[in-house]
Amino acid sequence: MDYDRRAFARLHLDAHDACEHGYSSGMSGYDAALRAHRKAVLAGLQRLFDLDLRADPLHRMVFESTARSYGAIRSPFSGYGEIGLLERVLGTDGLAPVERIVELNAASKEAHVDFVVKLLASVRPGAEVFTSDDLRAIGVDDTPPSREGHEYDW
């Protein structure tokens, strides 16, 4: 896998403690393993990019604030795996506003990533791209954790 500035930005946002996107509600064992994995890969990328997001107080504040904002993006059904009952009650048309919220949330998430990419460019100019091999060379395995053993954990 290749890790450019955009991949770094997305990983920073998804690994942050404020983020629940991509995790099931209740933070299962698998989700905890996935977050720990993302944090480890992020730490490895920070080494490769020679970039500590906490080094400068102003940058730390902006990166943290952006991650909290990203993590706060929700819809009325965030955390629910199944909304079939509501669909039966409201009908498909009744859920149209929620679909619009989900679309807007996706656009907001991408805008957050875009903003972090710009922040990273201001802190660390250049267009470095690192690979899974680069991470392995510094002792970081970027293979995501397996769901095996966590089938009923969510």
Side-chain angles (χ1 to χ4, degrees), residues 32-86:
L34 182 59
R35 187 183 306 275
H37 162 74
R38 288 174 173 169
K39 286 183 175 194
V41 173
L42 179 62
L45 288 175
Q46 286 184 23
R47 284 179 53 199
L48 291 172
F49 277 95
D50 190 26
L51 179 60
D52 182 355
L53 300 179
R54 298 163 299 170
D56 177 86
L58 176 62
H59 289 125
R60 179 178 55 239
M61 179 190 73
V62 175
F63 279 110
E64 288 293 311
S65 176
T66 304
R68 283 191 309 274
S69 174
Y70 177 85
I73 300 169
R74 302 186 53 79
S75 76
F77 301 115
S78 291
Y80 292 94
E82 174 61 38
I83 59 169
L85 178 61
L86 280 171

